[in-house]
Amino acid sequence: MSQQELAKTYDPQAVEPAINDQWLNSDAFRPKANKSGSNSPKANGLQTDSPKTAAGDKKDDAYCIVIPPPNVTGSLHMGHAFTFTIQDSLIRWQRLKGKSTLWQPGTDHAGIATQMVVERMLDKEGVHRRDLGRERFLDRVWEWKEESGGTIVNQLKQLGASCDWSRERFTLDEGLSRSVKEVFVRLYEEGLIYRGKRLVNWDPVLETAVSDLEVQHEEEKGHFWHMCYPHADDPSKHVIVATTRPETMFGDAAVAVHPDDERYKELVGKELILPLTGRTIPVIADSYVDPEFGTGCVKITPAHDFNDYDVGKRHDLPLINILTPQAHMLDDEMVPEKYRGMDRFEAREHVVADLDAEGLLHKIEEHTHQIGRGDRSHAVLEPYLTDQWYVDIKPLAEPAIKAVEDGEIRFVPQYWEKTYFEWMRNIQDWCISRQLWWGHRIPAWYCSDCDHISVSRATPDCCQGCGSNNIKQDEDVLDTWFSSGLWPFSTLGWPDETPEMDQFYPTNVLVTGFDIIFFWVARMIMMGMKFTGKVPFKDIYIHALIRDAEGQKMSKSKGNVIDPLEMTGKYGADALRFTLAHMATPGRDVKLDEERIVSNRNFMNKIWNAARFVFMNREDAAPDISIRPELDVNRWILAELDSTAAEVDKALVEYRFNEAASALYNFIWGTYCDWYVEAAKVSLYGDDDAAKTETRIVMLTALEGWLKLLHPICPYITETLWQELHGADARLVTATWHDPREDHDAGAVRRIRKVIDVVSAIRSIRGEMNVNPGKRIEAEIACAAAMRSDLDGHEKLMKSLARLESINWLDAAAEVEGAAVAPLPDATVYLPLAGLVNIEEEVARLEKNIAKLDKDIAMREGKLGNARFCDNAPADVVAKVKEELEELKAKHTEMNAGLESLNKL
């Protein structure tokens, strides 16, 4: 874009697509070590002909982040925009700092979610997957994936994500599938993967087991049904048991009481008649029973309740399954004929009615209790007894716990360690099989002749036990988190010793949300340490949730969702990215308001206009970082630039993205645009050619510097302005980070800061006294010799910035009657007001404003003096009230000073 084409206002929609095309059509996002590699066919999805290390490239010079792979079913939401903005900022920053950076992209096949999408499509056609059969169904899923599965990747590219898209991976890629098989086989051979019959959380809609972490526990209104179980030896007597699930009574194996419950001691060991069946069951004693709850008698249904399962194991009770995989009553002798084939909830109604008819329903109570639902289908889950594959996880968990304890891996913020430890130290064996068709099929084959199970990396020709050809592969697939748990090393080519593994593993940081610490983070640590002997990443940055402006969780049902694509369409990707970075305070949820994005769109316009002014006045000048300016103001801006660079660097090292964004905002808008550009006009519009030339070079040099600093967060506008600065072929994305100088003139910095103090004081008085902004006025400054010395030589600058007609210098002890006063640490500024303002009108205005401030201050002091508010309100709300109070008090002091000055006139 030439200078003549730089529009008057910034239009992100006209800029971003072209810049994105430039990046994507080049090697800009590829790590240095890969640039000499060709585009040859890939093995394991990796380039195999790239050198192990580029010339001069060391492991310490590499930086890698693996993208948390979004589901192939997904589309960009604000949580994605947040986490990917953070990751991209880190990657772009490290790329500019000269590291060989790899941001490894890819998507997850998302077994349950993707299968649900395609099954719903088939439902509309009146077809069930079983009508198609496994192979044809999977063909349909792959067709859908090819057509629609890349949506979120394209949206990430629009956001500016600088992944190495040439290395994009998918968890069902051939190379990643090979890694999955390798891990499964090795764990099986070590005895850490086994097959067993246990209770699982069963989703009767999806007809698959789901993990504990995929269960949503919700409070729902229900009932307690109190049922009478007659004594077998005297049916005129009975015990009362209460249950929330009367339909499961056909699976009862016992009734339990507490061993110390005197009421039932004589019953222990006797038989009860199970209602509606005629079958008898024993009374057992077990400390699991709470004698204070209900009647102290509990029905034990080992095949349909997790706690009952444990009781059943202790007492060697039979496991009586009464439900089909679809949660219908089994056609089985244990289920009375009347109820066979009924849906579980239909059966419940009939059971209750029949108990009532037989006089065995004691009472019904309303009861609110926790219901477990599947996070995908939202169906009520069943504890269900099935054969599943498990990982014996504790041997893997122990080194993963130690890695965090020893500081080999650190959580940021650190308090998330507690959450990690709590789960890892109480970890249960991991059920890894799912009764789905879409996913990594379990590499196990069953022999029909000898019941041997063959586990193999490749399809075996025959049974490894007896040699029979009559073998069949397991129908189940692996839990999605099994393959994504290998993501940091499977994407780099493991189990092969690839150049990428050598250069980029372990990765540097994982950026993710707290909600998948258990699902994903812990499993990557366990798997990475088990199979590579190294931790998969050194830092884990846990970001907060994005909420609406009121702090509510965003949801479609609430209508409070802010769509990132809509925001980038209206305000540009940079405005959204800067907003998210600016609000990324560690440990605090982000309360996102569209007005914040609007404000940062205005910031982008400010940047554009300042740069446009610089370019319009550049003539033949070019940036020169080695320049040693003569003018204080030019020395000052370069020193402030370097100070800001140090702030930004430190903030990014510490993952304090909000502080990096704040430092950039304060410098670019405040220091550069509002002060320096205005100050530069004194030289640019003056008669000193040397000063003009120097100022043009420094303006461009400082602009070049802060474009680099801002680029990681706001890549589009900075890249566009960079090409305006250096030519159409220049690329900021592959430039080098700002290199600060070490020999700044501290005196020049001090002098210009004092100029700014004086000008700010004058501007404040002008604003408070309602003086016409365009009117040139007189100022009188009383100060000591040292202050006068610092300000000497800057009168012209001060007059320009403060709109002054003249400056009269006074001794430090001098006072001026009939003037507004602004006291400073080293000086007192007086503005004579005679003829400038209507004294009576200004006094009335100030008194009115002070009265309003008094009310506002009293209201906030009242809140902070209320112990209930301070103890119960969120910490950020209390902090905000305190901050508002301090601002109001400062304004109050300022207005009182103005009023006092006016009253002296």
Side-chain angles (χ1 to χ4, degrees):
M1 184 181 290
S2 69
Q3 181 178 319
Q4 289 72 29
E5 292 174 344
L6 198 61
K8 289 184 178 180
T9 56
Y10 179 55
D11 180 6
Q13 304 314 318
V15 165
E16 291 176 3
I19 294 295
N20 215 26
D21 286 345
Q22 288 179 6
W23 290 334
L24 295 175
N25 292 330
S26 70
D27 284 345
F29 299 160
R30 299 187 71 184
K32 291 178 182 178
N34 281 0
K35 284 190 175 179
S36 60
S38 70
N39 293 320
S40 62
K42 298 175 181 178
N44 295 321
L46 292 163
Q47 284 191 189
T48 56
D49 56 351
S50 57
K52 193 159 189 175
T53 53
D57 196 15
K58 299 177 181 178
K59 174 69 176 176
D60 288 346
D61 291 333
Y63 188 89
C64 181
I65 298 175
V66 291
I67 200 171
N71 288 354
V72 72
T73 57
S75 99
L76 197 71
H77 57 63
M78 198 57 78
H80 288 133
F82 187 35
T83 187
F84 294 134
T85 293
I86 289 170
Q87 292 172 67
D88 194 42
S89 297
L90 290 169
I91 283 289
R92 288 179 181 271
W93 168 54
Q94 290 291 330
R95 187 184 291 124
L96 289 172
K97 288 179 79 71
K99 295 287 183 72
S100 178
T101 57
L102 171 61
W103 189 11
Q104 174 61 55
T107 50
D108 195 303
H109 66 280
I112 291 177
T114 304
Q115 184 155 322
M116 281 180 64
V117 168
V118 178
E119 288 200 58
R120 284 170 183 163
M121 291 168 54
L122 292 175
D123 284 344
K124 293 178 181 178
E125 301 172 17
V127 177
H128 190 274
R129 65 182 166 104
R130 299 194 188 281
D131 299 330
L132 293 178
R134 186 175 193 127
E135 296 306 316
R136 288 177 60 200
F137 174 76
L138 290 178
D139 287 342
R140 288 291 298 269
V141 182
W142 279 107
E143 285 173 16
W144 177 87
K145 189 266 179 186
E146 293 304 315
E147 292 172 8
S148 307
T151 298
I152 195 167
V153 168
N154 292 326
Q155 292 168 344
L156 284 172
K157 291 176 182 177
Q158 291 175 39
L159 189 66
S162 62
C163 299
D164 182 357
W165 295 108
S166 71
R167 295 177 48 84
E168 185 182 342
R169 298 293 168 261
F170 179 52
T171 47
L172 287 179
D173 280 352
E174 181 181 346
L176 272 63
S177 295
R178 177 172 165 240
S179 299
V180 169
K181 290 175 185 175
E182 183 69 25
V183 166
F184 187 97
V185 171
R186 287 196 197 179
L187 290 175
Y188 180 79
E189 289 174 347
E190 290 184 40
L192 294 175
I193 280 184
Y194 64 92
R195 185 166 169 80
K197 185 181 288 289
R198 291 188 182 180
L199 278 191
V200 296
N201 297 297
W202 185 265
D203 189 318
V205 171
L206 298 174
E207 296 183 41
T208 181
V210 296
S211 76
D212 291 344
L213 300 173
E214 294 166 298
V215 181
Q216 292 181 335
H217 294 283
E218 301 174 0
E219 276 203 348
E220 298 185 18
K221 290 182 178 179
H223 297 89
F224 254 142
W225 285 273
H226 295 253
M227 307 181 298
C228 301
Y229 283 39
H231 293 202
D233 59 2
D234 184 357
S236 65
K237 298 179 181 179
H238 60 260
V239 298
I240 298 172
V241 300
T243 182
T244 58
R245 307 189 61 215
E247 71 279 6
T248 63
M249 65 183 296
F250 304 128
D252 286 0
V255 167
V257 298
H258 194 278
D260 300 330
D261 194 332
E262 295 293 336
R263 294 171 295 175
Y264 304 113
K265 274 197 170 182
E266 293 183 2
L267 266 181
V268 174
K270 294 189 175 181
E271 298 284 314
L272 300 175
I273 299 172
L274 185 62
L276 308 182
T277 68
R279 180 162 60 88
T280 60
I281 56 176
V283 177
I284 62 172
D286 194 280
S287 57
Y288 158 70
V289 179
D290 179 1
E292 303 298 323
F293 185 76
T295 62
C297 296
V298 178
K299 64 190 286 293
I300 301 299
T301 319
H304 294 283
D305 183 275
F306 288 102
N307 291 319
D308 292 3
Y309 178 79
D310 292 334
V311 174
K313 284 200 296 184
R314 286 195 292 272
H315 295 270
D316 199 24
L317 297 176
L319 298 169
I320 304 169
N321 179 37
I322 60 164
L323 293 174
T324 69
Q326 299 81 26
H328 287 206
M329 306 302 285
L330 269 178
D331 185 3
D332 184 270
E333 62 179 8
M334 288 297 183
V335 179
E337 187 174 354
K338 173 182 177 178
Y339 309 100
R340 295 173 190 170
M342 286 184 181
D343 171 79
R344 54 185 164 164
F345 299 122
E346 179 189 3
R348 176 181 298 175
E349 294 178 7
H350 284 274
V351 166
V352 170
D354 292 344
L355 286 170
D356 192 24
E358 293 193 16
L360 297 176
L361 185 63
H362 179 66
K363 66 176 179 177
I364 303 174
E365 288 181 317
E366 291 189 355
H367 177 65
T368 300
H369 59 138
Q370 292 277 334
I371 297 290
R373 291 182 178 271
D375 65 350
R376 294 293 179 183
S377 69
H378 208 58
V380 175
L381 300 179
E382 283 289 341
Y384 193 64
L385 189 66
T386 62
D387 286 309
Q388 301 288 342
W389 289 91
Y390 293 89
V391 175
D392 180 4
I393 205 74
K394 286 187 178 178
L396 303 182
E398 288 168 4
I401 292 169
K402 190 172 186 299
V404 177
E405 288 176 335
D406 293 349
E408 197 175 357
I409 296 175
R410 67 169 184 146
F411 279 85
V412 182
Q414 188 177 2
Y415 58 75
W416 285 113
E417 288 181 3
K418 182 180 178 182
T419 304
Y420 173 80
F421 287 140
E422 189 174 311
W423 186 67
M424 291 289 281
R425 288 167 180 160
N426 295 283
I427 198 166
Q428 301 296 314
D429 283 4
W430 176 15
C431 176
I432 56 172
S433 47
R434 298 290 180 268
Q435 289 63 55
L436 304 170
W437 287 352
W438 173 248
H440 292 97
R441 195 164 174 182
I442 290 176
W445 286 260
Y446 302 99
C447 179
S448 298
D449 295 331
C450 74
D451 295 328
H452 180 79
I453 300 176
S454 301
V455 171
S456 173
R457 294 168 179 83
T459 303
D461 295 327
C462 61
C463 172
Q464 295 169 359
C466 69
S468 169
N469 292 321
N470 194 11
I471 58 174
K472 184 179 180 182
Q473 187 174 0
D474 196 306
E475 294 285 335
D476 293 350
V477 299
L478 288 164
D479 178 10
T480 296
W481 297 102
F482 189 92
S483 53
S484 56
L486 317 181
W487 188 252
F489 55 93
S490 65
T491 52
L492 299 179
W494 186 91
D496 294 334
E497 294 182 7
T498 65
E500 290 80 4
M501 277 292 292
D502 180 64
Q503 186 180 11
F504 294 113
Y505 191 89
T507 66
N508 293 77
V509 59
L510 176 74
V511 179
T512 189
F514 65 84
D515 52 333
I516 54 175
I517 290 176
F518 312 135
F519 277 115
W520 191 44
V521 177
R523 286 166 178 166
M524 284 190 289
I525 296 173
M526 290 187 283
M527 291 297 199
M529 296 188 73
K530 173 66 177 175
F531 290 99
T532 71
K534 301 175 184 177
V535 296
F537 25 71
K538 298 165 186 174
D539 291 342
I540 304 168
Y541 176 76
I542 302 293
H543 61 72
L545 287 177
I546 299 283
R547 299 183 180 274
D548 70 9
E550 281 70 48
Q552 298 294 313
K553 190 172 181 180
M554 291 187 189
S555 70
K556 291 180 181 178
S557 61
K558 291 179 182 176
N560 64 345
V561 172
I562 301 177
D563 183 350
L565 297 174
E566 182 183 345
M567 295 299 101
T568 57
K570 290 167 72 173
Y571 310 117
D574 287 333
L576 175 62
R577 287 170 61 119
F578 193 84
T579 301
L580 294 171
H582 208 180
M583 300 180 76
T585 304
R588 287 175 59 180
D589 286 349
V590 173
K591 295 180 182 178
L592 185 61
D593 187 340
E594 187 172 344
E595 286 304 310
R596 296 290 294 266
I597 306 172
V598 172
S599 174
N600 286 313
R601 185 271 314 272
N602 296 340
F603 180 40
M604 298 304 118
N605 286 336
K606 183 81 171 181
I607 289 169
W608 187 262
N609 290 333
R612 186 169 179 268
F613 172 82
V614 172
F615 295 145
M616 288 171 63
N617 289 277
R618 72 183 294 181
E619 295 195 358
D620 296 329
D624 181 4
I625 194 65
S626 67
I627 190 172
R628 295 296 183 266
E630 295 293 328
L631 299 176
D632 273 1
V633 72
N634 288 332
R635 294 176 178 179
W636 162 77
I637 192 62
L638 294 179
E640 295 287 10
L641 171 66
D642 286 353
S643 176
T644 301
E647 281 187 72
V648 172
D649 245 340
K650 183 174 185 292
L652 292 177
V653 165
E654 296 173 353
Y655 304 110
R656 296 184 176 275
F657 300 94
N658 60 314
E659 292 180 9
S662 292
L664 288 164
Y665 185 91
N666 293 337
F667 174 79
I668 296 169
W669 189 309
T671 305
Y672 187 85
C673 297
D674 283 354
W675 287 107
Y676 179 68
V677 169
E678 292 304 310
K681 292 176 182 178
V682 175
S683 295
L684 293 174
Y685 300 158
D687 299 325
D688 187 334
D689 289 340
K692 286 182 182 180
T693 299
E694 177 187 296
T695 299
R696 289 185 181 115
I697 294 171
V698 172
M699 278 199 312
L700 292 164
T701 302
L703 171 66
E704 179 188 64
W706 63 253
L707 285 176
K708 292 179 178 181
L709 302 183
L710 183 62
H711 178 74
I713 300 175
C714 300
Y716 285 109
I717 192 169
T718 52
E719 184 73 81
T720 304
L721 294 175
W722 185 267
Q723 292 175 24
E724 175 68 15
L725 179 63
H726 288 294
D729 294 332
R731 295 292 180 267
L732 174 53
V733 67
T734 50
T736 56
W737 188 246
H738 176 69
D739 185 18
R741 66 179 74 196
E742 298 177 357
D743 56 343
H744 288 295
D745 183 347
V749 173
R750 183 188 70 250
R751 290 189 288 272
I752 295 302
R753 286 180 178 175
K754 288 188 175 181
V755 167
I756 289 172
D757 288 342
V758 171
V759 172
S760 296
I762 295 170
R763 287 177 174 177
S764 178
I765 294 173
R766 293 184 68 133
E768 192 51 54
M769 296 302 176
N770 214 19
V771 176
N772 186 325
K775 186 174 181 61
R776 290 194 173 273
I777 61 175
E778 178 187 349
E780 303 200 39
I781 303 174
C783 62
M787 179 70 165
R788 173 71 186 275
S789 175
D790 279 343
L791 296 176
D792 251 352
H794 296 299
E795 277 198 35
K796 190 174 183 181
L797 178 60
M798 292 165 65
K799 286 179 181 179
S800 175
L801 293 175
R803 305 290 292 173
L804 298 177
E805 184 67 37
S806 63
I807 298 175
N808 185 26
W809 298 98
L810 306 174
D811 291 337
E815 292 186 8
V816 178
E817 296 293 328
V821 183
L824 296 171
D826 301 315
T828 304
V829 178
Y830 297 96
L831 294 187
L833 296 174
L836 288 179
V837 297
N838 184 311
I839 304 298
E840 290 183 1
E841 286 182 4
E842 285 306 305
V843 167
R845 184 180 68 83
L846 285 174
E847 287 177 340
K848 182 179 178 180
N849 288 342
I850 289 170
K852 183 178 184 304
L853 281 175
D854 286 335
K855 290 181 180 179
D856 291 342
I857 288 170
M859 182 185 74
R860 284 161 178 80
E861 285 180 336
K863 275 189 175 182
L864 294 173
N866 184 334
R868 288 183 61 188
F869 170 77
C870 293
D871 293 342
N872 298 324
D876 59 332
V877 173
V878 176
K880 186 177 181 183
V881 174
K882 288 181 179 178
E883 183 181 335
E884 290 172 350
L885 179 60
E886 292 306 310
E887 290 174 358
L888 290 169
K889 284 183 175 180
K891 193 72 174 172
H892 194 277
T893 301
E894 183 182 327
M895 286 189 178
N896 268 320
L899 183 61
E900 187 178 339
S901 296
L902 288 172
N903 285 330
K904 289 179 180 179
L905 298 180

